[in-house]
Amino acid sequence: RNCACRGNSQFAHLSCLVECFTSRSEDIWCGRQKAAENTMELAFAWPWETCGMCKQHFSGKLRLDLAREFARSTEGMVGGVRIFRHITAVGWVTKALLESRDQGVYDASVKEFEKCLKLIKMAYPIYENDPNQGRGYNFMSQYLHSHVKQAEGEVLSNYSQTVCFELMRALARNDSSIAEHRKLYNKWHKLITSSIATFEGLKTTTIGMSAPQQIESCLLHLHTQFARMKKDFSLRGFDETGYTEEDEEKAFQLSEQLMNTTIQERGKSSSYSIQKAVMHAQNLMQATKSWKPFVALELLVETYHTAKLSLGPMHSDTRSVLINIGSLIKNQKAANKYDNGRTFCPVDSYDEECDIYFVNTKGLTGTLIDGEEIGEEMGWDPADVILKRGALVKCVDLVKASHLNGKRGWIMDYDEKCERHTVQFEDEDAKSCLVKPGNIRLLFWEGEEYQAGLKAHEDTKKSKPEKDSSDSTPSTAESEQTDENNDDGMPGLY
């Protein structure tokens, strides 16, 4: 069923679900049944979206199959006052296609979006006020007219996200021209700004006055999406307005506000709330100037336990949380300073008593020292290692800067000349500095969620190879931190 149901209740025939949901949807539209407390007839789509037992949203292939059946069951309503139901159904299809994010569905998604927008244009004249009708009819027409407008805003929003994903895929594949990339960017920008304008216009309509919080939530989501993508598109030269620290802080605030608002409206265990928590964690992970890995990791671990209990360990949203946990702690890799090739190998563990790293050297070619044979595992002195950028660490045994001992941070870079790592600290009052490898220790994460996260991330890399440069850490050029109080402009040496 691709929801949170488990055991025997997680299985059902698609045909049985379709028959049940078609009947329930009709009963809700006709007022014979309520989808839930404090809902009305326009909640007729709920059965197609939400499981009646676990109260969680359907996901994956089942969601798309149900959306298509929903659209098929309402095809005969086009041309009459019930056209809104078919618009909603086609809207579900576009949402399901958006969720899948498969590379091969872009053209199909565009077709569905254009179809839905065409239906919306057909619906507007149907719900225009008729002076020959009674007052009750005119009120309902206004109400449905505003809901059609809301549907248009949602379709434009989802359409913009679909175009955005296609643009990011095209940039990653690097198999199309700059002109094609620019064309996709312009389309994304036009769609999302049109969606924002549509929702702004809804504030003065019937739905805007009866449910203002709903409209504000939609606008918050759109502004968060816009702020989030502004960084990527500015760095690639599409957005000529540039990206500042103020823009980054605004993106943080918007994503955190969206997460908290969604939790308040839907509850912490809702799949939507879990998705927004992951999105906020990703914003924290992708920061240019103020990367916050420990804050993001704490949020992801908390979200994972919530998702595991409410959605189950096999749910796609639970797996998404694990993948992001794995992407944060995966940089437990090191190269030996005597290896001219600087091959980074996984560090399996650290023996505190012997003060030595146990390193998996299966992928290492050549020798570290002339004549020494490389085995599958080696013990490396912490003073001889070069840690991978983004590795989470702590400082130890510092003498001149003993106040930094025990403080957590992450590797920003390695200076070949002075043979020290640039370490940025979790404590914002502690300035970044250059630290000898012997005074740094990798942090190792115990617990089921961390091991499962690493495995999920590795499985994702195997099925969809990524470059190391796409890691969640800032780029080298962007991550250089300097101590403004030093005359030479360099971080302090320790």
Side-chain angles (χ1 to χ4, degrees):
R1 294 167 66 99
N2 289 69
C3 53
C5 290
R6 305 170 204 179
N8 293 334
S9 60
Q10 68 180 309
F11 300 102
H13 295 111
L14 177 62
S15 58
C16 296
L17 293 175
V18 171
E19 183 179 354
C20 174
F21 298 161
T22 302
S23 176
R24 285 191 62 200
S25 180
E26 183 67 23
D27 286 345
I28 293 170
W29 174 264
C30 296
R32 295 190 293 266
Q33 184 180 347
K34 278 197 171 186
E37 292 297 326
N38 302 319
T39 61
M40 37 75 77
E41 291 79 2
L42 293 185
F44 60 87
W46 279 32
W48 297 96
E49 180 192 32
T50 309
C51 175
M53 291 189 290
C54 68
K55 310 303 180 187
Q56 293 289 356
H57 297 295
F58 297 112
S59 62
K61 186 177 183 299
L62 177 63
R63 180 172 184 173
L64 180 57
D65 290 340
L66 287 174
R68 292 194 186 282
E69 291 296 330
F70 184 20
R72 186 189 59 78
S73 70
T74 56
E75 284 178 346
M77 301 177 186
V78 176
V81 292
R82 297 201 296 173
I83 188 175
F84 176 67
R85 292 180 64 180
H86 188 56
I87 291 172
T88 304
V90 177
W92 283 138
V93 176
T94 63
K95 285 183 181 180
L97 288 169
L98 171 63
E99 185 191 70
S100 68
R101 300 187 185 181
D102 292 335
Q103 294 187 19
V105 303
Y106 177 69
D107 292 338
S109 298
V110 169
K111 184 178 178 180
E112 292 293 341
F113 280 118
E114 295 296 341
K115 175 184 176 182
C116 198
L117 290 172
K118 184 178 178 180
L119 286 167
I120 288 170
K121 288 182 180 179
M122 291 173 55
Y124 278 131
I126 295 175
Y127 298 122
E128 296 290 347
N129 284 337
D130 185 350
N132 297 320
Q133 298 289 342
R135 181 179 176 184
Y137 177 86
N138 288 334
F139 174 79
M140 184 54 67
S141 294
Q142 282 185 345
Y143 198 68
L144 288 171
H145 190 279
S146 61
H147 271 280
V148 171
K149 196 171 186 66
Q150 181 186 10
E152 181 179 13
E154 292 174 353
V155 171
L156 290 170
S157 172
N158 293 331
Y159 199 173
S160 72
Q161 291 182 65
T162 299
V163 174
C164 179
F165 291 141
E166 180 62 18
L167 173 57
M168 300 307 288
R169 279 194 289 262
L171 290 168
R173 293 193 304 263
N174 199 26
D175 60 355
S176 52
S177 66
I178 295 176
E180 288 296 319
H181 296 164
R182 172 66 67 175
K183 183 178 178 181
L184 284 170
Y185 168 77
N186 289 337
K187 186 174 183 178
W188 167 80
H189 193 274
K190 180 180 178 181
L191 287 167
I192 193 168
T193 51
S194 296
S195 180
I196 291 172
T198 301
F199 278 105
E200 287 288 352
L202 277 169
K203 290 182 177 180
T204 57
T205 65
T206 307
I207 190 174
M209 290 182 283
S210 62
Q213 184 59 43
Q214 185 178 358
I215 304 303
E216 290 298 334
S217 295
C218 292
L219 283 168
L220 177 60
H221 176 82
L222 285 164
H223 287 301
T224 303
Q225 180 197 347
F226 190 89
R228 190 181 184 195
M229 298 314 303
K230 180 178 173 64
K231 172 188 173 182
D232 287 332
F233 293 150
S234 295
L235 293 174
R236 296 178 187 275
F238 294 129
D239 191 331
E240 298 176 355
T241 61
Y243 191 77
T244 64
E245 290 187 35
E246 289 75 18
D247 291 326
E248 186 170 273
E249 186 61 32
K250 180 182 178 181
F252 286 158
Q253 292 174 356
L254 285 170
S255 64
E256 184 175 19
Q257 185 181 352
L258 178 61
M259 176 185 70
N260 292 333
T261 299
T262 307
I263 290 173
Q264 185 178 2
E265 291 177 352
R266 298 175 179 266
K268 201 171 186 178
S269 60
S270 164
S271 59
Y272 277 127
S273 299
I274 290 167
Q275 290 167 13
K276 297 302 179 286
V278 171
M279 188 178 78
H280 181 53
Q282 288 173 341
N283 278 341
L284 295 171
M285 292 158 59
Q286 295 168 358
T288 303
K289 298 295 183 183
S290 52
W291 194 50
K292 299 181 179 180
F294 294 104
V295 177
L297 188 59
E298 183 179 347
L299 173 60
L300 286 169
V301 169
E302 181 184 353
T303 304
Y304 167 69
H305 290 299
T306 300
K308 185 179 178 182
L309 287 173
S310 60
L311 303 178
M314 304 303 293
H315 196 278
S316 59
D317 289 336
T318 307
R319 177 172 171 77
S320 174
V321 181
L322 284 175
I323 292 171
N324 281 277
I325 290 175
S327 73
L328 259 179
I329 64 175
K330 70 181 183 305
N331 291 322
Q332 293 168 310
K333 294 182 179 181
N336 196 294
K337 68 179 183 181
Y338 298 111
D339 174 24
N340 293 329
R342 292 289 159 84
T343 304
F344 284 92
C345 303
V347 181
D348 292 333
S349 61
Y350 169 69
D351 190 315
E352 187 173 359
E353 186 175 348
C354 299
D355 191 24
I356 196 169
Y357 288 125
F358 289 100
V359 185
N360 183 334
T361 53
K362 289 181 181 179
L364 193 62
T365 58
T367 56
L368 299 178
I369 303 175
D370 291 343
E372 180 181 346
E373 184 178 351
I374 304 301
E376 292 187 355
E377 185 177 64
M378 296 187 68
W380 289 356
D381 188 325
D384 295 336
V385 304
I386 299 173
L387 297 176
K388 189 174 177 67
R389 181 171 57 88
L392 304 181
V393 299
K394 67 177 180 180
C395 288
V396 298
D397 301 331
L398 290 168
V399 178
K400 292 183 179 179
S402 58
H403 62 285
L404 296 177
N405 287 328
K407 286 192 178 294
R408 301 191 304 182
W410 53 91
I411 301 298
M412 299 293 287
D413 203 358
Y414 180 73
D415 191 310
E416 294 282 355
K417 292 183 179 179
C418 63
E419 296 186 340
R420 286 169 167 82
H421 289 97
T422 304
V423 180
Q424 182 72 42
F425 294 98
E426 175 187 18
D427 183 355
E428 295 181 357
D429 293 330
K431 297 176 181 178
S432 61
C433 59
L434 290 165
V435 184
K436 292 179 180 178
N439 295 115
I440 298 172
R441 295 295 182 273
L442 276 171
L443 292 175
F444 289 87
W445 307 92
E446 303 295 334
E448 172 263 339
E449 62 270 27
Y450 302 109
Q451 301 309 311
L454 287 170
K455 185 178 185 305
H457 179 75
E458 285 300 317
D459 290 345
T460 302
K461 286 184 68 176
K462 290 176 183 177
S463 61
K464 197 174 184 179
E466 300 175 5
K467 297 179 181 178
D468 279 345
S469 61
S470 65
D471 291 346
S472 59
T473 53
S475 66
T476 304
E478 296 165 348
S479 63
E480 291 178 352
Q481 304 288 327
T482 58
D483 186 347
E484 296 178 356
N485 296 325
N486 283 353
D487 294 336
D488 58 2
M490 291 293 293
L493 287 172
Y494 297 114

